[in-house]
């Protein structure tokens, strides 16, 4: 059964780039047809989809992030990553990685989430 | 932009039935599948309903989902409420461009 685990710095300075990695275990990131997503949740608030990368490498992003997000995949490490540039305090959140088996499918599984705080 | 609107909170007594609504802002909510996620404090969301009314294995049949095209809304119904059902619930679907959309979440209190 596929499992996901986020990793990365828990503290990022304003205006810098937030970088997170999601490690996939129990299956190959390049096999099958999966969408690998990043989703975030500010404390006490709801869920916000950031974007996804498809097995083929194509990407799609939430327009609200105004092109600050970049998602990439490293098949050799069975990982996919998120870079979010020009961060502000509003980007402070728990960041989750998740997968879905088709374009309009459910998110399952999810990683446990990792808290990223933007502060100087 | 397509949005999903949920009540901020609902509460009900153990053993009773509660329904959480999720209303689409435009178009037809029936055009794309709706998922429902349960999130307990400090944990990642888990699926309780997918593709409008399907239950993942391990989710009790006390959980059910439906679509009402006349009100452009989806509903999550939990019957025989248990204290362990107390959590935040999020609906999720897609807009016409297949961007992911989440509802704002509903806090269920079982008291």
């Amino acid at each position: 059964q596929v499992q996901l685990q986020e990793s990365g710095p828990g503290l990022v300075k304003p205006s810098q780039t937030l970088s997170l990695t999601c490690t996939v275990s129990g299956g190959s990131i390049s096999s099958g047809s999966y969408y690998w997503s990043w989703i975030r949740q500010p404390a006490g608030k709801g869920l916000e989809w950031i974007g996804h990368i498809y097995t083929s490498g194509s990407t799609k992003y939430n327009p609200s992030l105004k092109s600050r997000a970049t998602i990439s995949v490293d098949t050799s490490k069975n990982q996919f990553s998120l870079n979010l540039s020009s961060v502000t305090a509003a980007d402070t959140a728990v960041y989750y990685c998740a997968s879905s088996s088709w374009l309009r499918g459910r998110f399952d599984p999810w990683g446990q989430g990792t808290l990223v705080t933007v502060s100087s | 932009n397509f949005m999903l609107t949920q009540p901020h909170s609902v509460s009900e007594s153990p053993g009773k039935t509660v329904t959480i609504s999720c209303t689409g802002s435009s178009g037809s909510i029936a055009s794309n599948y709706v998922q429902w996620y349960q999130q307990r404090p400090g944990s990642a969301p888990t699926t309780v309903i997918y593709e409008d009314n399907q239950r993942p294995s391990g989710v009790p049949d006390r959980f059910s989902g439906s679509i009402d095209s006349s009100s452009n809304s989806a509903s999550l119904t939990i019957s025989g409420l248990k204290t362990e059902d107390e959590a935040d619930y999020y609906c999720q679907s897609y807009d016409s461009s297949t961007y992911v959309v989440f509802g704002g979440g509903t806090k269920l209190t079982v008291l």
Side-chain angles (χ1 to χ4, degrees):
Chain A
Q1 186 169 353
V2 172
Q3 293 183 311
L4 308 178
Q5 177 69 60
E6 306 88 351
S7 59
L11 181 64
V12 180
K13 291 182 176 3
S15 80
Q16 294 190 342
T17 296
L18 176 161
S19 296
L20 295 174
T21 295
C22 182
T23 300
V24 180
S25 60
S28 171
I29 198 170
S30 56
S31 67
S33 300
Y34 287 90
Y35 293 83
W36 306 97
S37 283
W38 287 96
I39 296 162
R40 68 181 181 178
Q41 183 175 36
K45 297 187 178 181
L47 300 163
E48 179 183 32
W49 176 74
I50 297 170
H52 71 222
I53 187 164
Y54 183 49
T55 304
S56 67
S58 64
T59 54
K60 191 161 192 169
Y61 301 102
N62 188 328
S64 71
L65 292 170
K66 297 179 182 177
S67 303
R68 294 192 297 127
T70 302
I71 299 175
S72 59
V73 66
D74 186 338
T75 55
S76 67
K77 295 181 179 179
N78 223 33
Q79 297 174 334
F80 64 104
S81 298
L82 168 69
N83 280 348
L84 186 65
S85 63
S86 306
V87 296
T88 69
D91 295 309
T92 294
V94 173
Y95 285 75
Y96 296 100
C97 56
S99 71
S100 51
S101 60
W102 63 293
L103 184 58
R104 291 180 172 83
R106 61 174 162 155
F107 292 108
D108 186 20
W110 297 61
Q112 65 183 29
T114 187
L115 173 63
V116 178
T117 301
V118 178
S119 175
S120 56
Chain B
N1 293 347
F2 181 66
M3 295 189 299
L4 296 171
T5 301
Q6 300 179 233
H8 182 69
S9 63
V10 296
S11 61
E12 190 50 91
S13 302
K16 299 291 189 179
T17 297
V18 70
T19 297
I20 299 172
S21 62
C22 171
T23 303
S25 62
S26 60
S28 171
I29 199 168
S31 298
N32 288 290
Y33 285 129
V34 175
Q35 280 64 239
W36 289 92
Y37 302 94
Q38 177 191 69
Q39 185 180 35
R40 295 192 172 102
S43 296
T46 60
T47 308
V48 291
I49 293 291
Y50 68 99
E51 294 178 7
D52 296 342
N53 54 20
Q54 302 300 301
R55 274 189 316 276
S57 59
V59 174
D61 59 7
R62 300 185 298 104
F63 290 80
S64 63
S66 63
I67 299 292
D68 181 353
S69 296
S70 65
S71 60
N72 207 37
S73 64
S75 293
L76 171 68
T77 298
I78 311 171
S79 59
L81 274 170
K82 301 183 176 184
T83 55
E84 67 202 47
D85 298 331
E86 189 162 289
D88 293 328
Y89 291 85
Y90 293 90
C91 60
Q92 176 259 312
S93 187
Y94 296 83
D95 69 10
S96 58
S97 300
T98 63
Y99 289 108
V100 175
V101 180
F102 284 100
T106 299
K107 180 177 179 61
L108 170 62
T109 301
V110 182
L111 39 65

